[in-house]
Every structure is written in C-alpha cells, then in structure tokens.
Amino acid sequence: MQIEASDILFVINPNSGSQKPDTIIKQIKSSGHNIDYVLTQNLEDSNELWAEKVDNYKVVVICGGDGSVNCTLKHLVAKKDIILAVLPNGSGNGFARELGFTNDVENLISKILRGEIRKVDITEINDDYSINVAGLGFDSYVASLFDGSKFRGLKKYIYCTIKGLFLYKPIAVELYLGQVKVTGDFWGVYLANTRQFGNNAIIAPEAKYDDGLLEVVLMKKYPLILAPIVVYKMFTGKFKNSKYMTYIRASELLIKSNSRTYHVDGEPRLMTGDLNVSLKKQQIKLIKMD
C-alpha cells in the first residue's frame, strides 16, 4: 500500500507512560518527515478527534498503552479503512509487544512508509471490544485497584498484584460454549487474543492474534506459597503445563459469574450481567513490523 508522510497522524496520550509528549514530538519532528500529531487529554478529546479529523489520514499511531489502544477500537471497527500503528508508552504494552512495536519513532515511521499491513482479530464483549486480553476475576480486580491509583507504571502494578493475592476471593463461573457447559470456582477467566497481559507476562502461550479463535484460560486458585513459581511460569511462557490452568479454544461463548468486574485490555468495567463473547476474525488493519 502506498503511504506518504502526510497520511500519518500521531495521537499522543500525555497521561500515559514515562516517555513525555515533548520527547515524542521532538522525535517526530527530527524524523525528516512532515508528520501531523495531536494530544488528547481525555476520552472526549479522543472521540472528537475520530469524529472530525481522522478521515484525513490513512494511518493513526496511538502513543500510549493497551488502554489507549482499546479506546480506539470502536472507531477502527466503524472506519475499516484506517490503519492502526502503536508507539508503546503504557504500563504493560502487551499488544504492542506481541505485534513487534517498539518506542523507536524513526523505525516506526520507516515501517509505516513501507506500507505493509496485516489484519488482526478483535474480541467483542457485549457492546465493548478487546484486542489483547480481557477477563474477569483476579486480573480485573487488580485492574480496578490499579485504575483507582494516582500512580502508574510497572512497580505500582506489581504492588496492586501482591495486594490482590492477599485480598481476592475466587469467583463462581458458568461458561457456555455451544452445547458444552463448564462450571466451577476460579481465580480468573482470561480471554486471550494474544499471549500476554503485558511486560512479557504470558498467560496463553499458544494464543494467536489472527487465527479467529480465543484462548479461554481458566485459572484455579493456587496456594500462596507457590506464587514465585506461578510468576516464573508466567514470564517464561510455561503456564500451559500447570495443573492449575485449563485452556479452551473458542470463537463464541457466554459467561455467567458473580464477579463484580471484568476488564478489556486492562480497562476495568462493572459486570452488570452476562458476558456475550465473540471473536471477529481479522477486523483491524495494522502496520506490519516484521
């Protein structure tokens, strides 16, 4: 695909990550290309941008984390010709890591101008979307703790995770996959379109972002004394061999649970009813980095 510098728009979330907006803007300007950029202070700014300005471009670069990417999904579904790219600048950057995006602005611009794209799946959950990992249970509890904190970053996320290990109780879950029903009390239920939460913490080693299937991961409560082993397995991609984990592949399912919350790409949501989940195959156009 033919892409010019004038076709690119960088959308910078100034409230995300450690790389400051001024640094990103300086790198854009020093790239040698005349590329537009805009700062969005909140969700209202983002929605206004997509309604009024984005149609003038072919590629939108989201400068932020998984949450910033998630905010764009409903717009990308509606505007199927827009191509997504990511400059990772969040707490975990799970989706960006899985697709090969780095915070090298010059390299990213080079790959965009090359014009190679791929299509990736997207998960629809009721009227919401997820492109990386969604879930309910322990990770949505941690996401709620993290979202309620005025501090961000990996250290804060680790703190919220450790706090959750002592406070969180398993949830009752009923899963309906066609004619199959799975029930039980679980530590968490994860809907993985890619392998990892973020920071290379791998929850679903065999998940693929373009195969039309979700990895549904059911995690049982494990003894707290095993937490170091669980963390080791997560960061080495060896969860598949754990007796506390069950993996099911599905493109559609219904989830009933007493969980108070769930999350989409780390963004917490209140759970007010059943979750109708379906995977939409190769719905989002994405700049190819490899």
Side-chain angles (χ1 to χ4, degrees), residues 62-80:
I62 300 302
C63 305
D66 288 338
S68 299
V69 174
N70 182 270
C71 290
T72 72
L73 297 181
K74 64 181 180 180
H75 302 294
L76 290 167
V77 169
K79 299 177 182 289
K80 296 186 181 298

Side-chain angles (χ1 to χ4, degrees), residues 225-259:
I225 195 172
L226 295 180
I229 297 174
V230 170
V231 172
Y232 169 78
K233 286 191 173 186
M234 184 178 293
F235 282 94
T236 56
K238 296 181 179 179
F239 251 155
K240 194 75 176 180
N241 300 320
S242 172
K243 68 178 182 180
Y244 297 100
M245 311 292 286
T246 300
Y247 290 83
I248 304 169
R249 289 192 172 183
S251 59
E252 293 185 351
L253 65 151
L254 173 68
I255 302 175
K256 297 176 179 286
S257 176
N258 63 350
S259 178

Side-chain angles (χ1 to χ4, degrees), residues 132-148:
N132 192 53
V133 178
L136 59 154
F138 180 69
D139 62 331
S140 63
Y141 180 75
V142 172
S144 297
L145 291 177
F146 186 73
D147 188 63

Side-chain angles (χ1 to χ4, degrees), residues 38-267:
V38 63
L39 276 68
T40 54
Q41 297 288 343
N42 49 47
L43 186 59
E44 183 179 345
D45 284 353
S46 178
N47 289 337
E48 184 176 324
L49 172 74
W50 280 89
E52 299 179 0
K53 191 172 183 180
V54 163
D55 288 337
N56 297 323
Y57 303 90
K58 291 181 180 178
V59 179
V60 174
V61 182
I62 300 302
C63 305
D66 288 338
S68 299
V69 174
N70 182 270
C71 290
T72 72
L73 297 181
K74 64 181 180 180
H75 302 294
L76 290 167
V77 169
K79 299 177 182 289
K80 296 186 181 298
D81 290 334
I82 300 295
I83 304 165
L84 172 67
V86 185
L87 184 73
N89 194 33
S91 299
N93 305 308
F95 180 73
R97 288 174 186 268
E98 285 296 285
L99 275 298
F101 290 98
T102 70
N103 58 7
D104 185 333
V105 173
E106 184 176 348
N107 179 60
L108 177 57
I109 293 172
S110 174
K111 293 296 174 63
I112 294 172
L113 295 176
R114 185 178 64 175
E116 294 184 14
I117 66 170
R118 58 165 38 113
K119 294 183 178 181
V120 298
D121 302 340
I122 188 172
T123 309
E124 186 172 5
I125 304 173
N126 292 349
D127 296 323
D128 213 341
Y129 295 100
S130 169
I131 202 169
N132 192 53
V133 178
L136 59 154
F138 180 69
D139 62 331
S140 63
Y141 180 75
V142 172
S144 297
L145 291 177
F146 186 73
D147 188 63
S149 171
K150 65 180 181 180
F151 300 106
R152 311 298 285 178
L154 178 59
K155 290 182 179 179
K156 186 61 183 182
Y157 192 84
I158 292 173
Y159 169 80
C160 292
T161 300
I162 294 172
K163 182 178 180 181
L165 288 173
F166 290 93
L167 298 177
Y168 184 72
K169 306 293 183 184
I171 55 173
V173 177
E174 296 180 3
L175 264 71
Y176 297 85
L177 305 103
Q179 301 300 312
V180 178
K181 179 181 178 182
V182 180
T183 64
D185 292 335
F186 296 102
W187 188 250
V189 177
Y190 311 108
L191 308 172
N193 187 39
T194 76
R195 300 179 307 151
Q196 66 168 289
F197 291 126
N199 293 305
N200 294 319
I202 296 173
I203 186 65
E206 296 183 6
K208 297 180 180 179
Y209 48 76
D210 60 358
D211 65 351
L213 291 170
L214 279 170
E215 284 279 317
V216 182
V217 186
L218 307 177
M219 177 187 277
K220 295 180 181 178
K221 182 174 174 58
Y222 51 84
L224 195 57
I225 195 172
L226 295 180
I229 297 174
V230 170
V231 172
Y232 169 78
K233 286 191 173 186
M234 184 178 293
F235 282 94
T236 56
K238 296 181 179 179
F239 251 155
K240 194 75 176 180
N241 300 320
S242 172
K243 68 178 182 180
Y244 297 100
M245 311 292 286
T246 300
Y247 290 83
I248 304 169
R249 289 192 172 183
S251 59
E252 293 185 351
L253 65 151
L254 173 68
I255 302 175
K256 297 176 179 286
S257 176
N258 63 350
S259 178
R260 294 181 179 181
T261 62
Y262 68 102
H263 78 90
V264 288
D265 301 326
E267 296 297 297

